[in-house]
Amino acid sequence: MTYTAAFILLFLVMDPIGNIPLFAAALSAVPAWKRPRIVIRELVIALGVLVTFLFLGSAALRLMGISHAALEVGGAIVLFLIALRMVFPPDRTPHEGEMGPEPFIVPLAIPLIAGPGAIATLLLVVGAQQAGWAGKSVALAALLTAWGASAVILIAAARLSNLLGPRAMQAIERLMGMLLVALAVQMAMTGISKYIADIAAAPGG
């Protein structure tokens, strides 16, 4: 997987456009001057979680005996479900007071930024790279770029929401969802192909 493909995939899964209304609702009880600080804090926490999985997740998968083909097919299913929610979004607006006066870690950092989908995608990106630090450096560069782009969008969430309006944001998110559907299907086919190739290469296959 190339750096560009990894960046696009991670950015789509992080879904900063779709998270704008949720961030706005979660921070509605916080003074306007304090909101950027909270968003930055949550972004940094989420990045720390994702970087931890980037360097330790593959080892954990090896210990559990999970092959890359299985991870690729499983990750494709997760991405497909995320894409369906982007194309056909449910009502995700939090009720008033549901998140408390100032959210901390949950739900902004986890799961809105560093959710199961983002973690699974990151493990897929790492697994698709060549072994060693060279492969991890490509995955890390893609993660930092996707995180940086998401950070810019989420810090400017209020301005973007007013500028684009709800209809434009919904249209952008659905377009991103359609792209993610295609990526998920391609990923599933690649994983199945690898599994078939592994069976054929096995002794007696």
Side-chain angles (χ1 to χ4, degrees):
M1 184 180 294
T2 65
Y3 159 79
T4 303
F7 158 69
I8 293 173
L9 186 57
L10 286 167
F11 179 77
L12 290 176
V13 173
M14 288 182 182
D15 189 20
I17 300 294
N19 284 334
I20 286 178
L22 296 175
F23 268 64
L27 298 172
S28 60
V30 178
W33 62 268
K34 196 175 183 181
R35 292 173 191 171
R37 298 183 183 180
I38 295 175
V39 172
I40 293 171
R41 181 191 69 199
E42 299 300 301
L43 284 163
V44 171
I45 293 172
L47 180 62
V49 172
L50 292 172
V51 170
T52 300
F53 274 93
L54 188 153
F55 287 103
L56 301 180
S58 297
L61 291 175
R62 285 195 298 271
L63 287 174
M64 292 184 287
I66 298 175
S67 68
H68 183 258
L71 178 62
E72 199 149 10
V73 174
I77 294 172
V78 173
L79 294 183
F80 185 76
L81 295 175
I82 293 173
L84 286 181
R85 291 173 64 86
M86 293 169 68
V87 177
F88 306 104
D91 181 13
R92 299 184 297 176
T93 304
H95 298 291
E96 186 176 354
E98 187 177 278
M99 298 185 182
E102 181 180 319
F104 179 65
I105 299 180
V106 178
L108 300 185
I110 303 172
L112 291 183
I113 303 172
I119 292 171
T121 303
L122 186 60
L123 293 177
L124 285 171
V125 170
V126 173
Q129 306 303 322
Q130 56 184 314
W133 288 101
K136 282 187 171 60
S137 64
V138 174
L140 180 61
L143 170 62
L144 292 175
T145 310
W147 177 85
S150 299
V152 170
I153 292 172
L154 291 172
I155 291 171
R159 294 181 181 178
L160 287 174
S161 181
N162 294 331
L163 178 65
L164 297 175
R167 290 183 181 274
M169 287 198 301
Q170 287 177 5
I172 294 172
E173 184 177 17
R174 286 174 180 170
L175 176 60
M176 292 169 65
M178 290 299 297
L179 292 173
L180 194 55
V181 166
L183 289 170
V185 172
Q186 180 63 51
M187 192 177 296
M189 292 190 298
T190 302
I192 293 171
S193 299
K194 288 181 180 179
Y195 178 68
I196 294 173
D198 289 343
I199 292 177

